[in-house]
Amino acid sequence: MFKKAKQNRVFQDVVEQIQDAIINGKLEPGAKLPPERELKDMFNTSRGTLREALRVLEQKGLIEIKLGVSGGAIVKLIDTEPIIESLALLIRSGGVSLEHLAEFRIKIEGSLMELAASRATKKDIKELETLFNQAKAYYENNDWENFLKTDEKMHTYIGIMTRNPVFQFVQKSIHDNIHRYYAEYLPMNKKRSLENLTDFEKIIDAMKINDAKTASAIIMDHVKRFSDKMQEKTRSKP
Amino acid sequence: MFKKAKQNRVFQDVVEQIQDAIINGKLEPGAKLPPERELKDMFNTSRGTLREALRVLEQKGLIEIKLGVSGGAIVKLIDTEPIIESLALLIRSGGVSLEHLAEFRIKIEGSLMELAASRATKKDIKELETLFNQAKAYYENNDWENFLKTDEKMHTYIGIMTRNPVFQFVQKSIHDNIHRYYAEYLPMNKKRSLENLTDFEKIIDAMKINDAKTASAIIMDHVKRFSDKMQEKTRSKP
DNA sequence: AATTTTGAATGGTTTAACCATTGACATCAT
DNA sequence: ATGATGTCAATGGTTAAACCATTCAAAATT
């Protein structure tokens, strides 16, 4: 008959009020909240409780706290960082294996490439070619560090080409979380880099003739090959 | 010459230590942390600071805090809840539209179905048929609530059939976040339910003859049709 | 034996200091 | 004048010591 009188922890109420203000656009990114000692009075709470609320908002990625004069809590643009972090926790806790991730990556990068290729503008292709030529130059100079960085940029740019933020952040999450394994188990060498370059060249060619299916197939095979190699390595030295 | 003396906030250090203990399995799910007043001494900090750390760990989904005697901070099994919540925030803040989500869902459920169908055992198919028959019964009795629940179960079971937790939780995140839109804009009726049933019947048939591609195509079309309908609705009453 | 009371354990909240970092402004030597 | 240096105020970070509220179990009472 009656609803349970909800036990609201005070800091939760503060979190909700500030969060709602941010989501509803009453507080825009960059806006500065009043100092703790003023907020505490506005919410009629203690400084300790208010600080717990600020900690939660900070953890959610909604605000950023700066020290010193003219410091304080500043509203952030909501981004994918908290999602990536939560996913990393889940992976690190052992709920997800490298095989699981690789399998997912093959499928998602396939879908992603298909979308990207089907939406590629001439400008996009030009941008990819610029990146490709940079990567090629680094390859020829045996500059693996910059080669890898450029390779990463190409993957990211293909994500952007989908024009869909969900694909963008899923790819970023996967890459962020898989990256340290690659670095540890699969150092770059001339042969592997050349494979990379060849694959990307084929992808760009497929995009030029609007062949999304082929582009997708190439990236899936590309990811599959690398995942297989990495899993060989991890199995040999657990 | 010297490294910048890193400014570590005390509560962050506490968070990291406890988080590492949980990830490394030194603290298993269900384990109870000492009471605040003891923890505060162990970390040589104040209660306020310690509580800020507990708030962060709570927000990350790593612990749960219970009141009363024999209460305290209890280690939780890491789950997908924080990811779902972060994604919900991103969506609500307008960073992700319904179209973006739908597009992603079409692709992911396509891949997911292909995997599930290719790994379907006879037992899996039997389980799906059982669920299908339940749904059919609810349909014939105009019991929409249970129909929807069973429909959801079928989707979930197909996720399980992939044997890959990444697909499982991505699907869960998407469904959780899209669900309230469906409930609001697309109430079930006899015609739509029948469409649902027909699609599932076709999917099971395709699985029986090991035709993963067809099963995938059906679910993609299925999702696409529903997304289109929902987007018509949301456009007509914004 | 059933019920009520009490008490201990634990998290929740408040208050009042003090510390540390930062940036602006005043001061001083050149 | 100008640049280095010192001072100060604003702000978050931390600590400490209370007291409140909830919960459960054990003791006391009927």
Side-chain angles (χ1 to χ4, degrees):
Chain A
M1 179 156 170
F2 293 114
K3 273 202 303 183
K4 183 177 146 197
K6 195 171 138 208
Q7 155 70 339
N8 250 345
R9 290 188 285 183
V10 174
F11 81 87
Q12 281 178 329
D13 188 48
V14 176
V15 166
E16 272 163 34
Q17 286 194 52
I18 297 179
Q19 175 172 309
D20 285 351
I22 293 175
I23 288 175
N24 298 334
K26 282 170 200 157
L27 285 171
E28 302 215 336
K32 206 185 108 178
L33 295 180
E36 289 181 353
R37 289 160 178 87
E38 278 177 42
L39 279 174
K40 149 198 99 132
D41 293 334
M42 290 165 68
F43 287 108
N44 189 32
T45 181
S46 73
R47 208 172 151 216
T49 300
L50 180 84
R51 282 174 61 83
E52 289 184 26
L54 292 181
R55 276 300 86 71
V56 171
L57 289 166
E58 194 183 27
Q59 186 61 34
K60 284 189 172 195
L62 290 170
I63 63 171
E64 192 183 357
I65 286 164
K66 280 192 179 169
L67 273 186
V69 63
S70 80
I74 297 165
V75 178
K76 275 211 318 186
L77 188 65
I78 300 177
D79 65 8
T80 57
E81 195 52 41
I83 304 178
I84 291 171
E85 233 191 82
S86 298
L87 181 59
L89 253 180
L90 194 66
I91 291 169
R92 284 210 284 154
S93 74
V96 173
S97 76
L98 216 57
E99 275 92 346
H100 292 139
L101 255 188
E103 184 171 82
F104 181 76
R105 201 187 148 202
I106 290 167
K107 294 286 189 183
I108 204 72
E109 292 221 26
S111 298
L112 193 144
M113 181 63 80
E114 209 175 318
L115 256 192
S118 72
R119 288 175 184 173
T121 64
K122 278 182 185 155
K123 208 177 143 200
D124 285 332
I125 291 173
K126 205 176 158 195
E127 175 68 27
L128 272 184
E129 278 181 325
T130 307
L131 287 169
F132 174 78
N133 287 328
Q134 276 174 27
K136 202 168 176 179
Y138 290 130
Y139 162 77
E140 275 154 11
N141 292 322
N142 293 326
D143 183 348
W144 305 133
E145 196 181 322
N146 278 310
F147 177 83
L148 275 179
K149 269 189 196 163
T150 312
D151 183 73
E152 191 64 33
K153 272 188 200 165
M154 286 194 277
H155 279 277
T156 308
Y157 192 77
I158 290 167
I160 291 170
M161 287 167 68
T162 65
R163 269 82 187 175
N164 186 329
V166 184
F167 279 100
Q168 287 166 22
F169 92 70
V170 168
Q171 196 189 26
K172 185 159 163 44
S173 303
I174 299 293
H175 275 274
D176 275 17
N177 281 303
I178 218 163
H179 188 270
R180 89 188 110 106
Y181 289 105
Y182 275 122
E184 186 175 348
Y185 292 113
L186 207 63
M188 267 296 147
N189 62 30
K190 200 107 186 172
K191 180 160 164 281
R192 263 197 285 276
S193 304
L194 186 57
E195 263 185 61
N196 252 9
L197 280 176
T198 312
D199 287 339
F200 260 106
E201 198 163 29
K202 284 187 203 157
I203 287 168
I204 294 174
D205 287 345
M207 281 182 176
K208 278 182 183 164
I209 58 170
N210 235 323
D211 188 352
K213 290 279 177 199
T214 300
S216 171
I218 295 168
I219 195 77
M220 284 171 78
D221 183 61
H222 168 98
V223 173
K224 189 169 185 330
R225 243 180 298 128
F226 274 72
S227 298
D228 285 350
K229 280 200 188 109
M230 191 165 59
Q231 276 163 37
E232 274 171 37
K233 295 271 183 183
T234 54
R235 264 195 294 274
S236 65
K237 48 170 178 176
Chain B
M1 181 157 170
F2 294 113
K3 272 203 302 182
K4 183 178 146 197
K6 194 174 140 206
Q7 155 69 342
N8 250 346
R9 289 191 286 183
V10 175
F11 82 86
Q12 280 179 329
D13 190 48
V14 176
V15 167
E16 273 165 32
Q17 286 193 51
I18 296 179
Q19 174 172 310
D20 285 351
I22 294 174
I23 289 176
N24 298 334
K26 282 171 201 159
L27 286 171
E28 303 213 336
K32 207 185 108 180
L33 294 180
E36 288 181 354
R37 289 160 178 87
E38 280 177 41
L39 279 174
K40 149 198 100 133
D41 292 335
M42 289 164 68
F43 287 109
N44 189 32
T45 181
S46 72
R47 204 170 154 218
T49 300
L50 179 84
R51 283 173 60 83
E52 289 185 29
L54 292 181
R55 279 297 89 71
V56 171
L57 289 166
E58 194 183 27
Q59 186 62 34
K60 285 189 172 195
L62 291 170
I63 63 172
E64 192 184 357
I65 286 163
K66 280 191 179 170
L67 271 185
V69 64
S70 80
I74 296 166
V75 177
K76 278 211 315 187
L77 188 66
I78 300 177
D79 66 7
T80 57
E81 193 52 40
I83 303 178
I84 292 170
E85 232 191 81
S86 297
L87 181 59
L89 251 181
L90 194 66
I91 292 169
R92 283 209 285 156
S93 76
V96 172
S97 75
L98 218 56
E99 275 92 345
H100 291 139
L101 254 190
E103 184 171 83
F104 182 76
R105 200 186 150 204
I106 291 166
K107 294 286 188 182
I108 205 73
E109 293 222 27
S111 298
L112 192 143
M113 181 62 82
E114 209 175 317
L115 255 192
S118 71
R119 288 175 184 173
T121 63
K122 278 180 184 157
K123 209 177 142 200
D124 285 333
I125 291 173
K126 205 176 156 195
E127 173 69 26
L128 271 184
E129 278 181 326
T130 307
L131 287 169
F132 174 78
N133 287 328
Q134 278 176 26
K136 202 168 174 180
Y138 290 129
Y139 162 76
E140 276 155 8
N141 292 321
N142 293 327
D143 183 348
W144 305 131
E145 196 181 324
N146 278 310
F147 177 83
L148 274 180
K149 269 189 196 163
T150 313
D151 184 73
E152 191 65 34
K153 272 189 199 165
M154 287 194 277
H155 279 277
T156 309
Y157 192 77
I158 290 166
I160 291 169
M161 287 168 67
T162 64
R163 269 82 186 175
N164 186 329
V166 185
F167 279 100
Q168 288 167 22
F169 91 72
V170 168
Q171 197 190 24
K172 185 160 163 42
S173 303
I174 299 293
H175 274 274
D176 275 19
N177 278 302
I178 220 161
H179 188 270
R180 88 187 111 107
Y181 289 105
Y182 274 121
E184 185 174 350
Y185 292 113
L186 208 61
M188 266 295 147
N189 61 30
K190 200 108 187 170
K191 179 160 166 284
R192 262 198 284 276
S193 304
L194 185 59
E195 262 186 61
N196 252 9
L197 280 175
T198 312
D199 287 339
F200 260 106
E201 198 163 29
K202 284 187 204 157
I203 286 168
I204 294 174
D205 287 345
M207 280 182 177
K208 279 183 183 163
I209 58 169
N210 235 322
D211 187 353
K213 291 279 178 200
T214 299
S216 170
I218 295 167
I219 195 77
M220 283 171 79
D221 183 61
H222 169 99
V223 173
K224 188 169 186 329
R225 243 180 298 128
F226 275 71
S227 298
D228 285 350
K229 281 200 187 108
M230 190 165 60
Q231 276 161 38
E232 274 171 36
K233 296 270 182 181
T234 55
R235 263 194 295 273
S236 65
K237 48 171 178 176

